[in-house]
Amino acid sequence: MKKVLIGVAVFFVVLVALAALVPVLFKDKIKERLDKEIAKNINAQVLYETDNVSLSLFRTFPNLALSIKDLTIVGKDSFQRDTLAYLPDFALGLDLMSVVTGDEMVVKSVLMEQPRIKLLVLKSGIANWDIFISDSTQATTETDTTDFKMGIDQWKINNGQLVYRDLSIPFGVTMYNVNHTGSGDLAQDVFDMETHTQAESFTMSYDGINYIEKKKLAADVTMAMDLNKSIYTFKDNNFKLNEFVLGMAGSIGMPTDDIALDLTFKALETDFRNLFSLVPGVFKDDFKDVNTDGKIAFNGYVKGVYNETTMPGFGVDLKVSEGTFKYPDLPQAAKNINVDMSVKNADGNMDHTVVDIRKLHLELGKNPIDGRVLIEGFSPMKIDGNLQAKLDLAEITKVVPIEGTTLRGLLAVDAKARGVYFEKYMPMVTAKLNLTNGYVKSADFPAPLEQVTVVSTITNNTGNAADTDVQISSFKMLLDKEPLEGRVSIQDISRPKFDAVINGVLDLTKLTKIFPIEGTTLSGRLTGNIQAKGNMTDVDAGRYDNVNASGTVQIAQLNYKSTDLPQGMKINSAQAVFNNERVNLQQLDGALGKSDVQMNGYVANYMGYLFGKNQPLRGQFNLKSNSFNVNEWMVEEHTGEPVPASTQEAQGVVQIPADLDMVLITQAGTVIYDNLKLQNLQGKVSLKDQIAKLEDVTFTTLGAQFSTTGTYDSRDLIHPTFAFGLDIKNLDFQNAFNSFSTVQQYAPIANLLKGKFSTKFNINGELGADMMPVMSSLTGKGVVEVVEALVSNITAIKKISDVTNLQDVQNFVVKNKGFAAEILNGNLVVKPFDFDVNNIKMTVGGTNNLSGNIDYVVAMDVPSGKVGNALATKLTSLSGVQNLEGLERVTLQLGVTGDFKSPTVALKGSSLKAEASNIVKQVVTNKLEEVVKDKAGINLPTNTDSIKAELAKRQQEAELRAKQELEKKRAEAEQKLRQEAQGQLNKLFNRNKPATTAPDTTKKQ
């Protein structure tokens, strides 16, 4: 027995030891394969630290867990600063034996803890999740099979967040506190997939309206998956929103790009209570105490093909029978709630949609509401309906809880409509809405809103839009004894004639105490006196003299803050005066967040803009600010917390409205943006034809003077473009590197230089969804002047010194040297420029790209006396000249290539004549031609060989010229020697004849 126990103990010790050793033994192998798979399959930035990758046999036993902490996926191009997914804790369960014995690792499970996933579709239709490299692309670049095989049989999400926004529709879904589990053998072609999903908050919106808002979601779904046929069939399932439970049956087929839908759905529970739980504001903690009764029937279908041009047919039926609800703390109930309605569309053509609300009846206490409506089609729209209600508002508060508010007054609605709504046609309408003796009092504010009267009618007796008459014959109220009253008349909605008068005071502080706006703080006073009378045909034609419009509006101490504008806006005082043609803002003094603003100016053609079609709003404003903090406006979408500019997520391309023709003249003492403080900013911004133009914008920052002009063109939302001209004077190199991403990408050497530079540079390119430049699209041209630069401790320079044995070039200063540069096809091309270092004439030129690779040529015109023995031997072998002593100078050609941080430096050639500039100029010209051809899509011939041959030919020619020059100098030296000898003989024999030979111009003075 003892031996058995010892054997068992040894077995467990060995097992534990193996469990600890396996991760150590296979970590590097798995990490290497993971990187390979990411590079092969994903066209996005997948960011993680190597130290955050770990392996464990205990977390997903018996599988091997590959865990990655703080994994981030960031898009490219339009989404290059858009976080698609942030995964604080991501784990793959790998089949242990596939890791140990096979070339193909089998993924068995996926786990995500607290993931934040944001799916975004821009207005242009581009989606940020389209990051997977297609199979066809892989086939042309890879011949080996994948290292990872998807044999997933379970996956799990804990406490996740999902945001989906399609700006092109516009449609959105938001889910918070999501817990999801799924299982199914994804290695098989036919299997059942089982999923369980819960979300504490589920919101679905369309065109800015939340149709489902902050509901609890629970979904348990089993689907039969046929991957061969791409058919997915619902089996056991239920979807639950609050207490409304829905079941689904049928299938979804996607064998091609079309989606074939054949689905039916119905309510699985038929109590009225389940439907009532979806009413906004109802499903709260006390919902369990609400008494309900009645039955519902809800069912529908979707059948047909969905693609870019076709919609499936659909239908929905809802019936509510004898529904009631009563809150325990209120004396009366809502009862006799009866609804019979359907929505049908047989063929997917939206103009064939029929909405039929056959019956709508409910009684709120003793207040009945009755209605019906039949709508056929949308364009044109055929309508036949009516609505009647007589409501005592005091009675309503006895049925529906309205906490802290007192209501009184009689509201009567009687409306009938029958006919066609289309272009110049209008249904025959008789509608009355009257409110008499209205009274509203909030517990948060002592003064009531009282004596509220609204008398309004809409009539059309012929069905012609021209015969429509809208009358708000009386509107008045008292708010804390301050009056606001007016009237509005509109006739002929096809060519409207209007007559409106509004006078009085609107105290927003008091009004929002009575009618609070969720998530919004609003206060201040508006005082107005407005009259307008005229015909819209005159407005459309610009005949403003025929329109009578005048008035003034005064604003005092207005404060506004909301969840969408957490920084807040304040107007201390402002006054606007308007007439037929324009609105003059005489003076506005206020603040945006913590930034002060003063503004004046005007807008013109405001009537055409508001009431006409495709008429621009023109105007000009002067804006001043002592200090404006742009960073304050960069906030996280959901929390409102400040976020650095460099981490802003893509919100979609900003489109400049086509109907704006505005000019903004700006002056600001200080503007804070990201890590920059801009001083004395001034300039002009104009908006017209969907293009923004900057004109003569100047400011100082980082101790330098900036001046810029440029344009932003939003006419093409898929490829918005910009073009800027920059004039920068005396900017510190390291400040430029630390502050500007373009410098970091294109000129990393700036971080190693000490000194200043100036530049005039024109640059243009494309902008991504975050309104930041897409680096690979940039082109530009300009000049850079090095005011002064201390060159020291640069790896490339040190290696040049090592190769040449010239210590003088390790540390030196460059002053007042300029060079030309271009940005083309993702490359920075530096044109050749010269400078001297201790009697060494250096010429530099070349290229570097966004990947950090450099390819530069350095030519050094060196006194022959500085050439050491080792270098002299190399030069002898390159030039074929055995003795360099007769030469005054030699030129060395070096290549600096590879990664900027660790470049390779090699001696490429030498010349016996000082021609450094020509060598570099020719090599850089060749490189520039390569870049241009590459951008144009031209395939270069076996370019390396041809370039080498050309270089060899030019070197031979240079060496021949050098030998000829050497022979010429030798002959000159002999002639000089003969002349000197002749002179000495003349002196010896007293021959004082004038010299007939040319003076010695070679002798140094």
Side-chain angles (χ1 to χ4, degrees):
M1 184 65 181
K2 183 177 180 181
K3 290 182 179 181
V4 173
L5 292 174
I6 292 174
V8 171
V10 170
F11 171 76
F12 277 107
V13 169
V14 172
L15 184 63
V16 172
L18 285 174
L21 284 173
V22 165
V24 176
L25 295 174
F26 292 97
K27 180 177 179 179
D28 292 341
K29 175 183 176 182
I30 294 175
K31 170 71 167 57
E32 179 184 350
R33 293 191 174 185
L34 178 64
D35 289 340
K36 182 179 178 181
E37 284 298 302
I38 291 173
K40 186 193 303 181
N41 294 288
I42 297 180
N43 182 30
Q45 302 176 64
V46 181
L47 309 175
Y48 64 94
E49 297 292 336
T50 302
D51 293 341
N52 287 343
V53 179
S54 62
L55 293 174
S56 171
L57 198 55
F58 300 106
R59 184 174 185 180
T60 56
F61 187 83
N63 297 320
L64 180 64
L66 169 63
S67 300
I68 307 176
K69 302 288 187 182
D70 296 326
L71 175 66
T72 303
I73 302 175
V74 179
K76 287 189 176 182
D77 298 326
S78 296
F79 303 99
Q80 62 181 316
R81 287 178 177 83
D82 175 39
T83 300
L84 168 61
Y86 170 64
L87 310 175
D89 188 354
F90 175 70
L92 296 177
L94 305 177
D95 179 77
L96 179 59
M97 294 310 296
S98 73
V99 175
V100 175
T101 63
D103 294 330
E104 196 172 53
M105 298 181 186
V106 179
V107 180
K108 301 294 289 183
S109 64
V110 178
L111 171 64
M112 289 183 277
E113 295 281 354
Q114 298 181 343
R116 297 203 298 269
I117 300 171
K118 181 177 180 181
L119 306 177
L120 179 66
V121 181
L122 301 182
K123 293 179 181 178
S124 58
I126 301 174
N128 70 338
W129 68 81
D130 188 13
I131 62 173
F132 296 100
I133 299 173
S134 65
D135 293 339
S136 59
T137 304
Q138 287 185 14
T140 60
T141 58
E142 300 285 346
T143 56
D144 59 330
T145 58
T146 181
D147 287 333
F148 283 86
K149 180 181 179 183
M150 296 295 111
I152 300 174
D153 52 27
Q154 59 180 348
W155 54 94
K156 188 174 185 179
I157 296 174
N158 289 330
N159 195 22
Q161 171 183 313
L162 173 66
V163 176
Y164 170 77
R165 285 188 175 176
D166 189 335
L167 303 178
S168 65
I169 301 179
F171 173 80
V173 170
T174 305
M175 298 170 67
Y176 293 105
N177 298 337
V178 179
N179 292 293
H180 171 86
T181 61
S183 61
D185 190 353
L186 299 188
Q188 303 298 318
D189 292 328
V190 178
F191 62 95
D192 282 353
M193 182 177 71
E194 184 177 338
T195 61
H196 304 276
T197 305
Q198 290 184 332
E200 287 296 314
S201 176
F202 175 82
T203 298
M204 184 176 71
S205 63
Y206 178 77
D207 201 16
I209 299 174
N210 292 337
Y211 288 92
I212 300 176
E213 185 172 14
K214 297 180 181 179
K215 307 302 182 189
K216 285 189 175 182
L217 170 69
D220 299 318
V221 181
T222 299
M223 294 193 74
M225 313 289 288
D226 189 334
L227 302 184
N228 284 330
K229 298 180 180 179
S230 296
I231 296 177
Y232 315 105
T233 305
F234 282 95
K235 298 178 75 173
D236 297 332
N237 65 87
N238 67 72
F239 299 84
K240 186 176 182 181
L241 283 173
N242 287 350
E243 291 195 2
F244 184 72
V245 185
L246 190 70
M248 194 88 69
S251 64
I252 302 173
M254 294 186 288
T256 64
D257 290 340
D258 293 343
I259 301 176
L261 300 167
D262 188 359
L263 301 173
T264 61
F265 50 88
K266 65 177 181 179
L268 298 180
E269 298 181 8
T270 59
D271 287 341
F272 172 72
R273 181 184 189 86
N274 306 124
L275 181 64
F276 184 58
S277 73
L278 297 181
V279 176
V282 165
F283 194 71
K284 298 180 179 179
D285 292 337
D286 60 351
F287 182 74
K288 62 182 183 301
D289 300 322
V290 178
N291 295 318
T292 62
D293 198 3
K295 295 295 181 181
I296 67 166
F298 178 82
N299 58 76
Y301 72 90
V302 179
K303 187 177 180 64
V305 174
Y306 173 80
N307 56 33
E308 292 183 355
T309 59
T310 305
M311 292 284 292
F314 58 89
V316 176
D317 288 292
L318 171 66
K319 290 185 178 181
V320 179
S321 302
E322 301 301 326
T324 65
F325 67 86
K326 182 181 182 303
Y327 284 86
D329 298 331
L330 296 178
Q332 296 187 27
K335 56 186 178 180
N336 294 330
I337 301 172
N338 291 277
V339 179
D340 184 1
M341 67 169 290
S342 66
V343 180
K344 303 290 185 184
N345 185 296
D347 56 9
N349 186 333
M350 297 306 293
D351 285 334
H352 296 167
T353 303
V354 177
V355 179
D356 190 0
I357 303 177
R358 291 174 283 272
K359 182 177 184 181
L360 170 65
H361 176 83
L362 68 154
E363 297 169 13
L364 299 175
K366 300 176 182 178
N367 300 270
I369 300 174
D370 287 282
R372 67 167 187 84
V373 65
L374 174 64
I375 300 174
E376 299 178 84
F378 291 112
S379 181
M381 179 185 292
K382 186 178 179 181
I383 302 173
D384 184 2
N386 61 72
L387 177 67
Q388 294 86 32
K390 291 185 178 181
L391 304 177
D392 184 335
L393 299 182
E395 289 281 320
I396 301 300
T397 60
K398 298 177 182 179
V399 179
V400 180
I402 306 176
E403 297 179 3
T405 302
T406 302
L407 291 178
R408 290 199 296 267
L410 298 177
L411 176 64
V413 179
D414 188 356
K416 297 178 182 179
R418 185 176 185 180
V420 175
Y421 178 76
F422 182 66
E423 293 183 351
K424 297 181 179 181
Y425 295 95
M426 179 79 179
M428 291 182 288
V429 175
T430 302
K432 297 180 181 179
L433 187 151
N434 296 330
L435 174 62
T436 57
N437 201 26
Y439 178 96
V440 184
K441 185 176 183 302
S442 170
D444 296 329
F445 188 73
L449 178 66
E450 55 188 338
Q451 297 183 26
V452 182
T453 300
V454 179
V455 179
S456 62
T457 60
I458 302 175
T459 57
N460 184 299
N461 297 319
T462 66
N464 294 319
D467 296 325
T468 304
D469 186 14
V470 179
Q471 296 288 334
I472 303 176
S473 54
S474 176
F475 164 77
K476 63 181 181 179
M477 70 177 190
L478 289 177
L479 177 55
D480 198 13
K481 309 303 181 183
E482 293 182 319
L484 179 69
E485 60 184 0
R487 60 176 177 80
V488 177
S489 171
I490 300 176
Q491 296 177 320
D492 182 1
I493 63 172
S494 64
R495 303 170 66 184
K497 300 175 183 178
F498 55 88
D499 184 1
V501 176
I502 299 176
N503 297 302
V505 177
L506 190 61
D507 192 316
L508 300 174
T509 308
K510 299 173 182 177
L511 189 64
T512 53
K513 288 286 186 180
I514 300 172
F515 300 110
I517 305 171
E518 184 179 356
T520 299
T521 301
L522 182 61
S523 62
R525 288 171 62 87
L526 303 178
T527 303
N529 180 1
I530 302 169
Q531 300 88 36
K533 183 177 182 180
N535 194 317
M536 276 307 302
T537 55
D538 291 325
V539 174
D540 292 339
R543 297 188 294 267
Y544 301 124
D545 291 340
N546 296 338
V547 179
N548 296 317
S550 62
T552 61
V553 176
Q554 294 179 332
I555 304 173
Q557 299 303 315
L558 186 145
N559 286 274
Y560 175 80
K561 184 180 288 187
S562 70
T563 52
D564 294 329
L565 193 74
Q567 308 88 345
M569 178 186 72
K570 181 179 182 179
I571 298 177
N572 298 321
S573 62
Q575 179 168 319
V577 178
F578 64 92
N579 55 29
N580 299 1
E581 296 183 356
R582 63 167 59 186
V583 177
N584 291 302
L585 179 64
Q586 294 181 339
Q587 186 59 49
L588 180 150
D589 177 73
L592 293 172
K594 298 177 181 177
S595 305
D596 68 289
V597 292
Q598 300 84 45
M599 183 183 293
N600 61 60
Y602 71 90
V603 292
N605 194 41
Y606 70 94
M607 288 190 183
Y609 175 76
L610 290 174
F611 305 113
K613 292 184 179 180
N614 302 319
Q615 293 199 38
L617 180 67
R618 295 186 291 269
Q620 179 172 307
F621 288 95
N622 300 304
L623 173 67
K624 293 184 179 181
S625 175
N626 294 314
S627 178
F628 199 97
N629 189 346
V630 179
N631 291 344
E632 189 182 5
W633 299 87
M634 298 175 179
V635 297
E636 207 281 329
E637 181 179 5
H638 303 295
T639 67
E641 295 297 320
V643 175
S646 57
T647 60
Q648 286 294 294
E649 294 185 348
Q651 298 299 317
V653 171
V654 174
Q655 184 174 26
I656 298 171
D659 49 7
L660 282 185
D661 184 358
M662 304 290 291
V663 174
L664 181 65
I665 300 172
T666 305
Q667 272 187 295
T670 301
V671 176
I672 299 173
Y673 173 71
D674 199 11
N675 58 345
L676 296 177
K677 182 180 285 188
L678 314 182
Q679 302 284 359
N680 300 321
L681 183 146
Q682 52 187 320
K684 183 165 71 173
V685 180
S686 60
L687 308 176
K688 187 176 182 180
D689 299 329
Q690 296 181 286
I691 298 174
K693 291 185 179 180
L694 299 180
E695 300 180 44
D696 301 322
V697 177
T698 62
F699 57 89
T700 58
T701 187
L702 304 173
Q705 179 69 42
F706 287 72
S707 176
T708 181
T709 59
T711 61
Y712 163 62
D713 190 338
S714 68
R715 288 176 294 181
D716 184 350
L717 285 179
I718 300 178
H719 302 289
T721 60
F722 74 96
F724 284 106
L726 296 170
D727 187 349
I728 305 173
K729 295 180 180 178
N730 298 319
L731 178 60
D732 182 86
F733 281 104
Q734 295 185 4
N735 283 341
F737 178 86
N738 293 328
S739 303
F740 303 113
S741 60
T742 48
V743 177
Q744 295 169 8
Q745 294 278 349
Y746 282 108
I749 194 174
N751 192 37
L752 303 175
L753 298 176
K754 294 181 180 178
K756 294 184 177 181
F757 71 96
S758 299
T759 183
K760 289 186 178 180
F761 214 94
N762 294 313
I763 189 169
N764 57 75
E766 194 173 315
L767 292 176
D770 56 356
M771 300 299 293
M772 296 295 288
V774 178
M775 292 296 180
S776 59
S777 73
L778 299 186
T779 59
K781 183 180 292 188
V783 294
V784 178
E785 180 188 357
V786 179
V787 179
E788 183 174 7
L790 172 61
V791 181
S792 178
N793 297 322
I794 296 177
T795 303
I797 297 297
K798 185 178 184 305
K799 289 187 176 182
I800 289 174
S801 175
D802 292 341
V803 169
T804 61
N805 292 321
L806 297 172
Q807 300 300 314
D808 295 338
V809 300
Q810 285 202 22
N811 301 285
F812 55 89
V813 174
V814 178
K815 285 187 177 181
N816 300 323
K817 289 294 180 181
F819 61 87
E822 286 189 50
I823 296 176
L824 188 62
N825 199 23
N827 295 268
L828 173 66
V829 180
V830 176
K831 305 294 183 64
F833 67 101
D834 306 314
F835 57 92
D836 294 340
V837 178
N838 293 331
N839 202 22
I840 299 174
K841 298 178 180 179
M842 299 182 66
T843 304
V844 178
T847 65
N848 51 274
N849 59 30
L850 294 172
S851 302
N853 292 322
I854 62 176
D855 191 352
Y856 277 80
V857 179
V858 178
M860 306 172 68
D861 181 2
V862 183
S864 57
K866 287 181 177 284
V867 177
N869 292 333
L871 182 59
T873 303
K874 293 181 182 178
L875 296 180
T876 297
S877 65
L878 288 170
S879 65
V881 177
Q882 298 300 317
N883 186 3
L884 303 179
E885 293 180 359
L887 302 177
E888 290 185 14
R889 309 181 72 86
V890 294
T891 298
L892 314 179
Q893 180 188 339
L894 299 105
V896 184
T897 59
D899 183 81
F900 168 76
K901 296 179 180 178
S902 181
T904 299
V905 176
L907 185 63
K908 298 292 187 179
S910 68
S911 173
L912 304 182
K913 183 181 178 182
E915 54 176 358
S917 296
N918 291 335
I919 291 174
V920 177
K921 182 178 180 181
Q922 188 57 51
V923 174
V924 173
T925 300
N926 290 341
K927 291 184 181 296
L928 184 57
E929 289 175 356
E930 291 179 27
V931 172
V932 172
K933 289 179 180 179
D934 184 50
K935 182 172 181 63
I938 300 173
N939 293 323
L940 295 172
T942 330
N943 218 345
T944 355
D945 295 336
S946 61
I947 289 174
K948 285 181 180 178
E950 181 66 20
L951 288 175
K953 177 183 175 184
R954 289 174 193 242
Q955 185 165 328
Q956 289 174 0
E957 293 173 350
E959 289 175 356
L960 178 60
R961 288 195 301 269
K963 288 179 181 179
Q964 292 172 345
E965 185 72 20
L966 187 62
E967 180 61 28
K968 180 181 177 183
K969 286 186 177 181
R970 187 187 63 77
E972 289 175 351
E974 290 178 355
Q975 177 66 21
K976 177 181 177 183
L977 185 60
R978 283 196 297 269
Q979 289 173 350
E980 289 180 350
Q982 184 67 40
Q984 294 299 325
L985 289 173
N986 288 338
K987 289 180 182 178
L988 180 63
F989 294 102
N990 290 317
R991 294 183 181 177
N992 296 321
K993 295 180 181 180
T996 57
T997 58
D1000 183 4
T1001 59
T1002 63
K1003 187 174 181 179
K1004 294 182 180 179
Q1005 301 298 318

